[in-house]
């Protein structure tokens, strides 16, 4: 029985290495080094994730992003964006989407934030994302989105198979 258990555990480890939870490729394909937290830490990602990260960093910095700016992530499923940009949390670093009540939860988190902070925050959206937070929450919060915002870039998130849009306040 011990040998059988050992074989089962070994096969599970091999399977987990090849099919890790919430990664689109095996751990062996996570070869690209990415610096986070102002180059204090390094993580490895696959080439598709690396392109998304490089594009997010490049276009945000090109349009005036500075470490510590505020980001409201309403993609519902991209918690890494705040980490990659080293953003200042608005209510919380990421708003989970795709669950019953996600939009209402996001609204309740953001309604506690001053209108000034909300209007000065950059916004990451996923217009056709499966887990997106509805952009109607901004109207409920009296934030004039997207009229008072400028589109910075569109990013292809291959893992989520969705286009994401980064916006910055026009007053920025």
């Amino acid at each position: 029985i011990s040998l059988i258990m050992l074989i089962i555990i070994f096969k599970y480890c091999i399977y987990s290495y090849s099919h890790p939870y919430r990664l689109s490729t095996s751990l062996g394909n996570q070869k690209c080094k990415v610096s986070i937290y102002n180059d204090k830490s390094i993580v490895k990602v696959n080439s598709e994730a690396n392109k998304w990260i490089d594009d997010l960093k490049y276009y945000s910095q090109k349009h005036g992003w500075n470490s510590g700016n505020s980001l409201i992530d309403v993609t519902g499923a991209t918690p890494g964006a705040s980490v990659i940009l080293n953003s200042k949390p608005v209510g919380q670093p990421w708003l989970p989407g795709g669950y019953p009540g996600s939009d209402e939860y996001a609204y309740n988190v953001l309604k506690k934030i001053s209108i000034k902070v909300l209007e000065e925050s950059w916004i990451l959206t996923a217009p056709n994302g499966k887990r997106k937070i509805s952009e109607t929450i901004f109207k409920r919060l009296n934030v004039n989105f997207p009229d008072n915002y400028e589109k910075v870039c569109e990013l292809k998130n291959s893992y989520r198979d969705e286009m994401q849009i980064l916006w910055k306040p026009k007053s920025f």
Side-chain angles (χ1 to χ4, degrees):
I1 292 185
S2 299
L3 181 59
I4 293 172
M5 288 302 294
L6 188 58
I7 291 170
I8 290 170
I9 290 170
F10 182 72
K11 284 189 170 215
Y12 180 75
C13 289
I14 290 172
Y15 178 82
S16 296
Y17 179 85
S18 300
H19 303 87
Y21 182 66
R22 292 204 176 181
L23 292 179
S24 59
T25 61
S26 75
L27 291 176
N29 288 331
Q30 311 302 311
K31 296 177 181 177
C32 302
K33 292 181 180 181
V34 175
S35 298
I36 58 173
Y37 297 118
N38 290 329
D39 297 330
K40 293 179 185 169
S41 295
I42 293 177
V43 294
K44 289 185 178 181
V45 299
N46 66 27
S47 58
E48 292 173 342
N50 189 55
K51 175 158 179 28
W52 178 84
I53 291 166
D54 284 348
D55 288 349
L56 179 63
K57 285 181 173 181
Y58 173 78
Y59 288 108
S60 61
Q61 290 170 357
K62 180 180 177 183
H63 290 271
W65 177 269
N66 292 304
S67 180
N69 285 141
S70 298
L71 176 70
I72 301 172
D73 179 352
V74 292
T75 63
T78 314
S82 294
V83 174
I84 297 302
L85 293 176
N86 196 30
S87 70
K88 182 178 177 185
V90 179
Q92 60 187 51
W94 165 67
L95 300 166
Y99 303 100
S102 290
D103 291 353
E104 194 62 26
Y105 176 77
Y107 170 74
N108 286 321
V109 167
L110 295 174
K111 76 178 184 182
K112 298 173 185 169
I113 308 301
S114 76
I115 189 72
K116 182 179 186 321
V117 170
L118 293 175
E119 290 175 339
E120 291 174 351
S121 297
W122 292 47
I123 298 174
L124 183 62
T125 64
N128 296 314
K130 296 175 186 113
R131 302 186 71 83
K132 70 178 180 176
I133 304 292
S134 174
E135 295 172 17
T136 61
I137 65 166
F138 294 112
K139 185 173 184 173
R140 291 177 64 195
L141 294 163
N142 295 316
V143 174
N144 194 2
F145 179 82
D147 295 342
N148 287 350
Y149 288 78
E150 172 187 334
K151 185 188 289 188
V152 170
C153 65
E154 293 186 9
L155 305 159
K156 172 70 175 169
N157 185 317
S158 296
Y159 173 70
R160 303 239 25 101
D161 191 28
E162 66 188 19
M163 289 304 294
Q164 298 177 342
I165 303 173
L166 181 64
W167 303 81
K168 77 173 191 175
K170 287 181 179 175
S171 61
F172 190 79

